[in-house]
Amino acid sequence: MTARAPIIRNNEYDDLYSLMRNEPSNCYDITFRDRGGNVCIIAPHGGTIEPRTERIARKVAGSEHSFFIFRSMNNQCLRGFSRHVTSTKFRHHDLTRILSHCGIVVTIHGKADGINGTGPILIGGLNTKFKEIMLADLTNGGFAAQIAVQGELAGTDPRNICNQGRHGSKPGVQLEIPASLRPRGMSAGNLNTIANAIRNAIRHYQKYLGIQYENRDLLRSIEERSDQINRHVNRSRALPPFSSTINVGRYISSSFGLRAFRQFR
């Protein structure tokens, strides 16, 4: 029986399974942990492809977040870095299972330094609010960063693995980290600094989502209560429909009204 020919176009495998079928098992390593939460950190091109991205991903994941890491093991494998699976084709059944319950996804990539030096960390993905929060926290952490607006590094293809949270319904963020920020012999201090900035962004985005859910549920309860008042007034007095629902909604949506309602409910 003849071996199946590699499925490669422009030195890129069509999918992760094609790579696994056609590369020796000692050429790559897949590590993952499903911790059951809402966050997944992914390094799809670790090892010799985009060095030290796997270390950053593990540090960001810490002990609480799920992660999935692919590593090329040495420069003789996968033709160094040229043969790999692009982010739009990066699929694995274990990763799919993890992402099915994760609404917050961060992928860690590496890019070359800019012509005049390090260059900024580029922030991509389809989640606009998460990108804004990530930009703020990376900047506060002392890193040059900017949101990528076009090209592959922008991560705006819906098929990109960073945009596959909850079966593709929850887009995420893609980070492209310059080589000089992940050097050979990367110190624990530098690793912690960049990982902590990313973790801060995740925490702040979680807080943002929590406020959104809290306000949504609060407004729903107000509307339900106003409907009850409407029905009661109309039945007992046979008056025209009570119109305070809109007024209450407008009032409670203001920051002052929200604080007042929480005090007296």
Side-chain angles (χ1 to χ4, degrees):
M1 183 176 179
T2 58
R4 182 171 179 172
I7 305 175
I8 304 173
R9 294 180 179 85
N10 299 322
N11 279 326
E12 297 171 355
Y13 279 102
D14 273 356
D15 53 59
L16 192 55
Y17 295 106
S18 298
L19 182 151
M20 295 168 64
R21 283 194 300 266
N22 291 284
E23 297 288 345
S25 59
N26 63 345
C27 278
Y28 64 87
D29 175 68
I30 294 175
T31 308
F32 65 89
R33 295 286 185 278
D34 184 354
R35 296 190 166 118
N38 191 39
V39 179
C40 183
I41 312 300
I42 305 172
H45 302 142
T48 59
I49 302 175
E50 294 168 357
R52 270 75 67 188
T53 56
E54 74 281 357
R55 289 186 61 195
I56 297 171
R58 284 294 294 267
K59 196 68 178 180
V60 173
S63 60
E64 67 269 35
H65 300 321
S66 299
F67 65 85
F68 190 98
I69 293 170
F70 176 90
R71 290 190 301 161
S72 172
M73 299 302 289
N74 59 67
N75 285 324
Q76 282 69 49
C77 294
L78 307 178
R79 291 187 179 175
F81 63 86
S82 60
R83 284 188 177 179
H84 64 285
V85 181
T86 63
S87 293
T88 57
K89 300 176 181 179
F90 194 85
R91 301 292 187 272
H92 187 277
H93 62 278
D94 287 311
L95 178 57
T96 299
R97 173 173 49 80
I98 295 171
L99 291 180
S100 68
H101 60 74
C102 289
I104 300 176
V105 180
V106 179
T107 59
I108 308 294
H109 292 265
K111 74 179 188 71
D113 289 331
I115 297 176
N116 298 319
T118 300
I121 297 174
L122 295 182
I123 307 168
L126 286 174
N127 191 320
T128 301
K129 186 62 180 181
F130 195 9
K131 287 191 293 186
E132 292 172 352
I133 292 174
M134 185 67 71
L135 176 62
D137 278 300
L138 287 173
T139 302
N140 290 337
F143 298 98
Q146 69 182 52
I147 294 176
V149 295
Q150 60 184 359
E152 293 182 358
L153 301 187
T156 54
D157 191 321
R159 299 169 300 173
N160 189 308
I161 194 63
C162 78
N163 298 318
Q164 287 296 306
R166 299 275 178 86
H167 305 289
S169 66
K170 299 293 184 180
V173 160
Q174 171 179 291
L175 298 178
E176 296 282 350
I177 301 175
S180 55
L181 292 180
R182 45 185 178 84
R184 185 186 300 272
M186 185 179 188
S187 70
N190 290 341
L191 178 61
N192 286 335
T193 300
I194 191 168
N196 286 340
I198 298 170
R199 287 173 61 85
N200 285 341
I202 293 171
R203 185 171 65 254
H204 291 150
Y205 183 60
Q206 288 175 315
K207 183 177 180 180
Y208 165 79
L209 291 178
I211 292 173
Q212 293 296 104
Y213 292 142
E214 181 182 359
N215 289 351
R216 181 195 62 188
D217 294 341
L218 183 59
L219 289 172
R220 182 183 296 119
S221 68
I222 293 168
E223 291 170 356
E224 291 173 352
R225 181 58 179 161
S226 297
D227 288 341
Q228 292 174 0
I229 294 172
N230 287 338
R231 290 193 296 270
H232 175 74
V233 170
N234 292 335
R235 285 198 305 269
S236 62
R237 298 183 180 180
L239 295 175
F242 186 58
S243 61
S244 65
T245 303
I246 295 178
N247 294 333
V248 171
R250 287 176 178 171
Y251 171 75
I252 206 67
S253 65
S254 69
S255 59
F256 175 80
L258 187 59
R259 289 195 302 271
F261 181 82
R262 284 173 174 164
Q263 289 176 356
F264 294 106
R265 63 175 174 164

